[in-house]
C-alpha cells in the first residue's frame, strides 16, 4: 500500500457543504492524498455539527481515494478533553506538588507558623486585573514541614530539620535556633498550576477522559472507517502545562513553579528516593550547599517523564493500535523545552514512545532559509535559532530511527504562522533542509476554508481561490512526495552518536546536543541523538557494541560523543563500563559525577576517554575515519544525507541563498552513480572519477546521487554557449490582481523594473508577453531571467515550456521554439502579503521586509551547442 507522505491540516469551521467539498477538491488537485482535520475553529467539535461536516469530508475522501487523520481535541494543546473532565470527572483533576515558606532569624523561642495558610495562594497587588482561576476540585494535603538554614542568597543548608511532628491543629510551634531559617510547608494541591480544566497527563485515569471524549466518540461514529479511510489521530503539543506561558524556561530548580503530581508518582518517588524524601522537597526548587538537590531533581524528572510516557503517550498509542489506527503528533520542542516542564514533556523520546511516527513542528519563522544565527523574536519570547536549524529535525529523526515501532518515519508540521510572505520558493528550501535531516512525512499548515484573508496562522494555500501561487503549490507537493518516497522504507547511515542531554539538564548544567550537532552537520558527518534509555533497554533498541562501533536498531555508529555536562546518567556509565572498546569522546570536559540509581558518585573510570574541544571535534573525528562524505575543502553550506535501500542514496542540498557550491566530493560506496533531479523527475548520467564527483549546486538547488540505479540515465544537457541575446526590453505586461475578475490591466514596458515599484500593493499574476525571432538550428535554447519573484511558468507559442518554483529560474524552451517569430509568455506570481496588508485583520498588517514583485533585470536567451 502506498504511504501518504503529505497530510495537511484542514481547518474545520462549520462551513457550508459546498465550501467543504470544494476545499477537498482543491487539496486533491494539489497532488495530496490525505488530510488532517483540525477542530480548533469548529463550533461543535464531537457534536452533531461536527459529525455532519466530517461525513462530508469522508464522502469526498472516498471519492478521491484520500485518507483522513483527526486532531484529538477541540483545540490545541491536546488535553482539554473537549471539556469533559470538569463536567463528568472532577475527581480526576490535576494535582501539583508545591512548597511555600516563611523566613525568620533566630534565636526565637516558641515561634508559630500557620501551616494551613501556607497551602493557599496569596493575592497580591500584582494580581489586580487578572482573572482568578478556580480549581475543578478543592483538595490539598501537607506532606511535610521542614526548616533549612539559609547559607547565602537562596542556597540552603545540606541538612534540614523535620518539623512535621510539631504541627498541631494546623499550627507549627518551634524554637528557632540562631541563624536565618526558612520554614517550608510542602504540599499537594489542586489550586496551583495552570489549566485546571485539563487532564493530568501523568495520571492513567485522567488521560482516559481524553480517550473517552474524543477517541471513543469518533470510534462510535466511524468504526467501519477506522484503518481504512481514517488512518488515526494526531496529538498537537500536549505537555505538562504546569505553567501557563510559553517562555521556554521551565527547568526544574530554576523557576518557582508548581510541579506535576499524582498518586502513582508519590509511590515512585518513595521507591527511588526512600521514605525520607518528602523532607527534602524544597531541593526541587532551591539549591543546597552539598549538591543533594541534583539527585532529587533527577529522580523527580525521571519519574514524571516516565509516567507521561506510560499513562499518556503509550496508553493512547495502545488504544489506537487496538482499534486499527495509528497515533501520531508532536510536542513543544522549542529552545530545548523538550527536556523540561511547563509546556514541555520532560523527555522528548519518552513523549514519543507511544506514537507510530516521530513528530516535530516548524512554524512561525523558526527555521529561516539561509539564516541559522539571528535570534527569533516572537510574542512568546526569544527563539534560539541554532536549536531550530541544527537540533529540531535531528531530534525527531533520531527517534524515528532508533525506535523499531517508528519504522524510520518522521512527520513535520511545517510552514504555519510564517505569514503571507512565505511563498513556494522558501517552502521548497524548508522541505529540502528538513528532508536532508531525516523528515519524510509533512503536515503543511494549513488549508483554511474561512473567508479570505484568514488571520489565523497564514499562509493558506488555496485561500478560497485567492492565492496566485496555488498551482505552484501542487508542484511543490509533487516534489515533496518524491523526496519522501525515496527516503522511506530504508535506513539512514549515521557515522556518530551524540548523547541526549535530558538527564544532564535535569541535574545541572549541560551542553545541548545541537551544539556538537551543528559542527557535525556543517562538516557532513551524519549522526543520531541517543537517549540514555537505549543503554538500559538494550533488547528493545538492539543496542550493542560490534567491532568498536555502537549499534542501535541496526544502525552502526563509529563513536559516542558526550556533550559537556556536570552529571552523567548511571545508564550510560554502566554501558561504558561494560564496553570499554566503544570509542567515546567528551566535549570540553568530563562530567564530575554519575547520577541515577543511588546518590551522586564520582567517576574516575571516565579518565580513559579523551576530551576534545568543540571547535576541534570535526577535525578529530575525520582523523579517526568518522566521516562519510569527503570534500577537498570545508563547505559549511552543504548538507548531506546518506540513506540505504537496495542502493546507497546520497542527498545534497545547498543551504546558502547566495553562494554556489562547486566542490569535489568523494563517497565511500563504489558504483556507477546516477543523478536524480526530483524537481524535474529526471535521471542523468554522472561524470565520475572512481568514487569522486564534481558537485555543483546553485542556491536553492538539491540533488540525489544513487549508486547503480535501476533507472535509464540520460546524458545531462550541456554544450558550450554559442550566443547570448538580451531580450530585456519591450515586453507587454498584463496584471491579473488577486480578487478581481475580468480582463487584466495591460501596460507596455520599455524596460523591466519590479512591478512593486509602481503597484506597491499588487498580488496576483504578472503576465509578460514578447515576440522574438529565433532559429532553432542544431542548438538548445535556454531562457534565463535574472530576477523572478517568485514563481514562474513559461509558455512558448502556446505550449507550456516549464514551471519554476525557486531559483535557478533558467528554463529550456528548445522543444517549443520554431524558426521565425515566437511568442514567449512568462507568467510570474508573487505572494499574497501585499494584497493582505491592504485589508489587515485583528493583528494589523504584517511587519516584514517585502520582496519585490515580478520579472526584472537581464532576460537572456542563451543558445548552447546541441549535444
Amino acid at each position: 500500500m502506498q504511504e501518504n507522505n503529505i497530510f495537511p491540516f484542514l481547518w474545520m469551521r462549520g462551513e457550508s457543504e459546498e465550501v467543504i467539498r470544494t476545499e477537498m477538491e482543491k487539496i486533491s488537485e494539489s497532488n495530496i492524498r490525505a488530510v488532517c482535520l483540525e477542530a480548533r475553529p469548529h463550533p461543535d467539535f464531537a457534536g452533531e455539527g461536527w459529525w455532519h461536516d466530517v461525513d462530508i469530508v469522508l464522502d469526498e475522501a472516498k471519492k478521491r481515494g484520500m485518507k483522513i487523520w483527526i486532531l484529538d481535541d477541540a483545540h490545541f494543546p491536546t488535553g482539554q478533553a473537549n471539556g469533559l473532565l470538569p463536567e463528568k470527572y472532577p475527581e480526576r483533576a490535576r494535582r501539583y506538588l508545591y512548597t511555600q515558606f516563611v523566613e525568620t532569624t533566630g534565636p526565637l523561642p516558641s515561634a508559630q507558623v500557620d501551616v494551613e495558610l501556607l497551602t493557599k495562594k496569596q493575592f497580591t497587588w500584582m494580581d489586580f486585573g487578572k482573572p482568578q482561576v478556580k480549581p475543578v476540585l478543592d483538595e490539598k494535603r501537607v506532606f511535610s514541614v521542614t526548616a533549612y538554614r539559609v547559607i547565602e542568597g537562596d542556597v540552603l543548608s545540606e541538612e534540614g530539620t523535620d518539623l512535621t511532628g510539631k504541627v498541631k491543629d494546623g499550627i507549627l510551634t518551634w524554637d528557632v535556633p540562631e541563624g536565618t531559617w526558612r520554614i517550608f510547608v510542602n504540599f499537594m494541591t489542586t489550586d496551583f498550576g495552570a489549566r485546571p480544566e485539563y487532564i493530568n497527563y501523568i495520571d492513567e485515569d485522567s488521560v482516559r477522559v481524553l480517550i473517552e471524549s474524543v477517541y471513543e466518540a469518533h470510534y462510535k461514529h466511524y468504526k467501519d472507517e477506522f484503518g481504512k479511510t481514517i488512518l488515526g489521530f494526531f496529538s498537537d503539543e500536549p505537555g505538562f502545562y504546569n505553567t501557563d506561558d510559553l517562555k521556554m524556561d521551565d527547568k526544574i530548580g530554576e523557576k518557582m513553579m508548581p510541579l506535576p503530581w499524582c498518586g502513582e508518582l508519590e509511590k515512585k518517588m518513595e521507591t527511588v528516593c526512600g521514605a525520607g524524601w518528602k523532607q527534602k522537597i524544597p531541593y526541587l526548587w532551591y539549591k543546597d550547599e552539598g549538591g543533594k538537590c541534583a539527585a532529587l531533581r533527577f529522580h523527580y524528572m525521571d519519574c514524571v517523564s516516565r509516567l507521561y510516557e506510560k499513562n499518556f503517550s503509550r496508553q493512547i498509542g495502545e488504544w489506537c493500535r487496538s482499534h486499527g489506527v495509528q497515533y501520531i503528533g508532536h510536542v513543544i520542542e522549542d529552545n530545548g523545552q523538550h527536556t523540561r516542564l511547563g509546556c514541555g514533556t520532560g523527555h522528548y523520546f519518552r513523549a514519543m514512545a507511544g506514537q507510530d511516527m516521530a513528530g516535530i513542528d516548524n512554524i512561525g519563522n523558526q527555521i529561516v532559509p539561509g539564516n541559522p544565527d539571528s535570534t527569533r523574536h516572537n510574542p512568546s519570547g526569544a527563539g534560539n535559532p541554532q536549536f531550530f536549524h541544527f537540533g529540531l529535525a535531528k531530534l525527531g529523526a533520531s527517534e524515528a530511527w532508533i525506535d523499531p515501532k517508528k519504522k524510520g518515519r518522521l512527520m513535520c508540521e511545517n510552514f504555519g504562522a510564517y505569514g503571507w510572505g512565505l511563498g513556494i520558493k522558501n517552502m521548497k528550501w524548508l522541505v529540502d533542509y528538513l528532508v536532508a535531516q531525516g523528515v519524510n512525512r509533512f503536515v503543511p499548515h494549513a488549508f483554511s476554508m474561512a473567508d479570505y484573508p484568514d488571520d489565523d496562522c497564514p499562509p493558506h494555500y488555496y485561500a478560497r481561490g485567492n492565492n496566485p501561487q496555488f498551482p505552484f503549490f501542487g508542484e511543490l507537493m509533487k516534489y515533496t512526495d518524491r523526496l519522501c518516497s525515496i527516503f522511506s522504507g530504508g535506513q539512514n547511515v549515521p557515522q556518530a552518536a551524540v548523547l541526549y542531554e535530558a538527564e544532564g539538564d535535569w541535574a545541572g548544567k549541560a551542553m545541548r546536543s545541537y551544539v556538537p550537532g551543528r559542527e557535525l552537520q556543517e562538516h557532513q558527518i551524519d549522526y543520531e541523538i541517543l537517549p540514555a534509555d537505549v543503554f538500559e533497554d538494550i533488547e528493545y533498541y538492539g543496542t550493542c557494541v560490534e567491532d568498536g562501533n555502537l549499534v542501535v536498531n541496526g544502525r552502526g555508529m563509529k563513536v559516542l560523543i558526550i556533550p559537556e555536562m556536570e552529571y552523567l546518567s548511571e545508564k550510560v556509565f554502566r554501558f561504558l563500563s561494560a564496553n570499554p572498546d566503544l570509542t567515546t569522546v567528551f566535549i570540553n570536559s568530563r562530567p564530575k559525577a554519575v547520577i541515577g540509581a543511588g546518590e551522586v558518585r564520582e567517576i574516575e573510570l571516565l579518565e580513559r576517554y579523551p576530551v576534545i574541544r568543540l571547535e576541534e571535534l570535526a577535525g578529530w573525528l575525520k582523523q579517526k575515519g568518522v566521516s562519510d562524505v569527503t570534500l577537498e575543502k570545508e563547505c559549511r553550506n552543504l548538507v548531506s544525507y546518506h540513506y540505504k535501500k537496495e542502493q546507497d542514496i546520497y542527498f545534497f542540498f545547498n543551504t546558502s541563498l547566495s553562494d554556489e557550491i562547486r566542490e569535489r566530493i568523494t563517497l565511500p560506496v563504489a558504483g556507477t552513480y546516477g543523478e536524480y533531479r526530483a524537481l524535474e523527475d529526471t535521471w542523468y548520467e554522472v561524470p565520475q572519477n572512481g568514487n569522486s564527483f564534481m558537485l555543483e549546486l546553485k542556491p536553492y538547488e538539491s540533488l540525489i546521487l544513487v549508486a547503480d540505479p535501476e533507472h535509464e540515465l540520460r546524458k545531462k544537457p550541456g554544450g558550450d554557449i554559442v550566443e547570448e541575446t538580451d531580450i530585456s526590453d519591450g515586453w507587454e505586461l498584463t496584471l491579473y490582481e488577486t480578487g478581481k475578475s475580468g480582463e487584466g490591466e495591460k501596460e507596455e514596458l520599455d524596460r523591466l523594473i519590479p512591478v512593486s515599484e509602481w503597484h506597491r500593493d499588487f498580488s496576483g499574476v504578472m503576465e509578460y508577453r514578447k515576440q522574438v525571432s529565433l532559429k532553432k538550428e542544431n542548438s538548445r535554447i535556454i531562457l534565463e531571467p535574472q530576477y523572478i519573484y517568485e514563481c514562474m511558468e513559461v509558455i512558448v507559442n502556446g505550449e507550456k515550456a516549464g514551471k519554476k518554483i525557486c531559483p535557478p529560474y533558467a528554463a529550456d524552451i528548445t522543444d517549443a521554439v520554431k524558426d521565425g517569430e515566437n511568442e514567449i509568455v512568462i507568467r510570474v506570481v508573487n505572494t499574497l502579503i501585499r494584497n493582505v496588508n491592504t485589508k489587515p485583520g485583528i493583528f494589523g498588517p504584517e511587519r516584514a521586509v517585502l520582496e519585490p514583485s515580478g520579472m526584472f533585470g537581464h532576460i537572456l536567451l542563451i543558445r548552447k551547442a546541441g549535444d
Side-chain angles (χ1 to χ4, degrees), residues 366-485:
Q366 290 175 335
I367 298 176
V368 179
N371 175 8
D373 293 309
S374 68
T375 300
R376 313 296 188 240
H377 290 280
N378 56 62
S380 63
N384 184 325
Q386 296 193 35
F387 166 75
F388 296 114
H389 272 256
F390 304 106
L392 176 62
K394 274 303 187 188
L395 194 66
S398 299
E399 167 66 3
W401 296 329
I402 67 173
D403 183 358
K405 179 166 67 267
K406 303 296 190 293
K407 301 178 182 178
R409 296 174 297 194
L410 170 58
M411 175 277 302
C412 178
E413 178 187 323
N414 203 18
F415 309 143
Y418 269 73
W420 291 106
L422 179 69
I424 304 301
K425 173 184 67 175
N426 282 335
M427 288 183 191
K428 191 265 185 187
W429 191 101
L430 291 170
V431 166
D432 279 341
Y433 191 68
L434 290 163
V435 168
Q437 297 180 79
V439 175
N440 52 19
R441 303 290 187 277
F442 284 93
V443 176
H445 184 309
F447 278 88
S448 171
M449 294 183 277
D451 290 337
Y452 168 80
D454 182 4
D455 294 327
D456 198 340
C457 298
H460 306 302
Y461 312 120
Y462 181 58
R464 297 287 288 271
N466 287 279
N467 196 335
Q469 294 199 343
F470 177 68
F472 297 90
F473 180 75
E475 295 298 313
L476 175 66
M477 292 299 98
K478 278 196 293 190
Y479 171 75
T480 302
D481 190 56
R482 288 169 191 154
L483 290 184
C484 291
S485 296

Side-chain angles (χ1 to χ4, degrees), residues 295-355:
L296 191 66
R297 293 171 186 179
F298 166 84
H299 287 302
Y300 172 83
M301 290 299 298
D302 190 47
C303 290
V304 79
S305 60
R306 280 295 188 197
L307 287 177
Y308 182 99
E309 172 188 355
K310 169 181 168 287
N311 292 333
F312 183 80
S313 184
R314 288 192 184 275
Q315 183 179 189
I316 295 176
E318 288 163 8
W319 186 96
C320 286
R321 286 182 287 277
S322 70
H323 290 75
V325 292
Q326 296 180 50
Y327 176 45
I328 64 172
H330 74 91
V331 300
I332 290 184
E333 314 90 2
D334 308 6
N335 290 8
Q337 192 72 359
H338 53 87
T339 66
R340 298 180 174 180
L341 299 173
C343 58
T345 55
H347 191 291
Y348 174 80
F349 294 89
R350 294 176 185 175
M352 290 287 110
Q355 299 196 3

Side-chain angles (χ1 to χ4, degrees), residues 721-727 784 859-864:
I721 296 176
V722 175
E723 179 184 23
E724 288 188 359
T725 304
D726 191 323
I727 59 168
E784 191 172 284
I859 316 301
L860 301 179
L861 283 176
I862 300 173
R863 185 184 299 277
K864 291 189 175 182

Side-chain angles (χ1 to χ4, degrees), residues 112-383:
Q112 291 190 320
V113 175
D114 186 338
V115 172
E116 174 70 14
L117 181 64
L118 288 182
T119 64
K120 297 178 180 180
K121 289 181 178 177
Q122 182 179 13
F123 186 87
T124 73
W125 64 271
M126 293 288 290
D127 299 308
F128 279 111
K130 295 181 180 179
Q132 299 303 301
V133 179
K134 298 296 183 182
V136 171
L137 178 73
D138 187 10
E139 178 181 303
K140 57 180 174 290
R141 178 161 61 95
V142 174
F143 285 154
S144 63
V145 178
T146 52
Y148 284 86
R149 189 186 297 272
V150 179
I151 304 304
E152 182 180 4
D154 280 325
V155 177
L156 307 178
S157 57
E158 186 174 355
E159 297 296 335
T161 301
D162 182 8
L163 304 176
T164 311
K166 295 181 178 293
V167 178
K168 293 182 180 180
D169 299 324
I171 301 296
L172 165 69
T173 303
W174 181 46
D175 294 334
V176 181
E178 180 183 355
T180 300
W181 293 81
R182 284 185 183 172
I183 301 169
F184 292 90
V185 176
N186 311 303
F187 57 100
M188 179 276 293
T189 177
T190 58
D191 194 22
F192 285 73
R195 307 184 191 223
E197 74 281 9
Y198 269 61
I199 63 170
N200 188 348
Y201 297 88
I202 60 174
D203 182 270
E204 182 177 359
D205 289 338
S206 192
V207 174
R208 280 286 312 162
V209 181
L210 174 65
I211 293 174
E212 176 183 334
S213 63
V214 177
Y215 289 76
E216 291 176 349
H218 282 81
Y219 186 70
K220 178 181 177 181
H221 278 78
Y222 301 116
K223 176 180 178 180
D224 293 341
E225 296 296 341
F226 270 45
K228 298 175 184 177
T229 309
I230 296 175
L231 296 182
F233 291 89
F234 185 116
S235 277
D236 194 16
E237 301 187 353
F240 291 119
Y241 291 100
N242 53 302
T243 61
D244 199 22
D245 57 41
L246 298 173
K247 299 301 182 185
M248 310 299 169
D249 58 354
D250 300 301
K251 179 175 177 177
I252 190 168
E254 292 190 2
K255 188 174 185 178
M256 197 62 211
M257 56 185 171
L259 304 180
W261 194 251
C262 69
E264 190 176 358
L265 178 55
E266 184 173 347
K267 294 175 183 176
K268 282 184 172 292
M269 287 295 289
E270 185 164 328
T271 298
V272 297
C273 297
W277 81 271
K278 290 178 181 176
Q279 284 69 51
K280 302 175 184 176
I281 286 175
Y283 289 164
L284 293 172
W285 292 271
Y286 300 97
K287 292 182 180 180
D288 67 293
E289 59 180 340
K292 290 183 178 180
C293 61
L296 191 66
R297 293 171 186 179
F298 166 84
H299 287 302
Y300 172 83
M301 290 299 298
D302 190 47
C303 290
V304 79
S305 60
R306 280 295 188 197
L307 287 177
Y308 182 99
E309 172 188 355
K310 169 181 168 287
N311 292 333
F312 183 80
S313 184
R314 288 192 184 275
Q315 183 179 189
I316 295 176
E318 288 163 8
W319 186 96
C320 286
R321 286 182 287 277
S322 70
H323 290 75
V325 292
Q326 296 180 50
Y327 176 45
I328 64 172
H330 74 91
V331 300
I332 290 184
E333 314 90 2
D334 308 6
N335 290 8
Q337 192 72 359
H338 53 87
T339 66
R340 298 180 174 180
L341 299 173
C343 58
T345 55
H347 191 291
Y348 174 80
F349 294 89
R350 294 176 185 175
M352 290 287 110
Q355 299 196 3
D356 293 283
M357 303 179 191
I360 58 171
D361 81 333
N362 167 54
I363 62 169
N365 295 288
Q366 290 175 335
I367 298 176
V368 179
N371 175 8
D373 293 309
S374 68
T375 300
R376 313 296 188 240
H377 290 280
N378 56 62
S380 63

Side-chain angles (χ1 to χ4, degrees), residues 714 717-718 774-783 794 796-797 799-802 810-819 822 824 861-867:
R714 298 170 49 185
L774 294 169
K775 289 185 179 181
K776 293 193 69 169
E777 300 177 341
N778 183 26
S779 60
R780 293 171 51 241
I781 299 175
I782 312 299
L783 173 70
V794 180
V796 178
N797 300 320
E799 181 180 339
K800 293 183 178 180
D812 190 330
I813 62 173
T814 306
D815 293 342
V817 166
K818 64 183 181 181
D819 288 332
N822 291 263
I824 299 177
L861 283 176
I862 300 173
R863 185 184 299 277
K864 291 189 175 182
D867 296 327

Side-chain angles (χ1 to χ4, degrees), residues 612-628:
I612 303 296
R613 294 188 59 79
L614 175 66
E615 58 270 24
E616 298 170 354
L617 177 63
W620 184 87
L621 291 172
K622 291 197 172 188
Q623 288 178 359
K624 297 289 185 181
V626 183
S627 63
D628 200 17

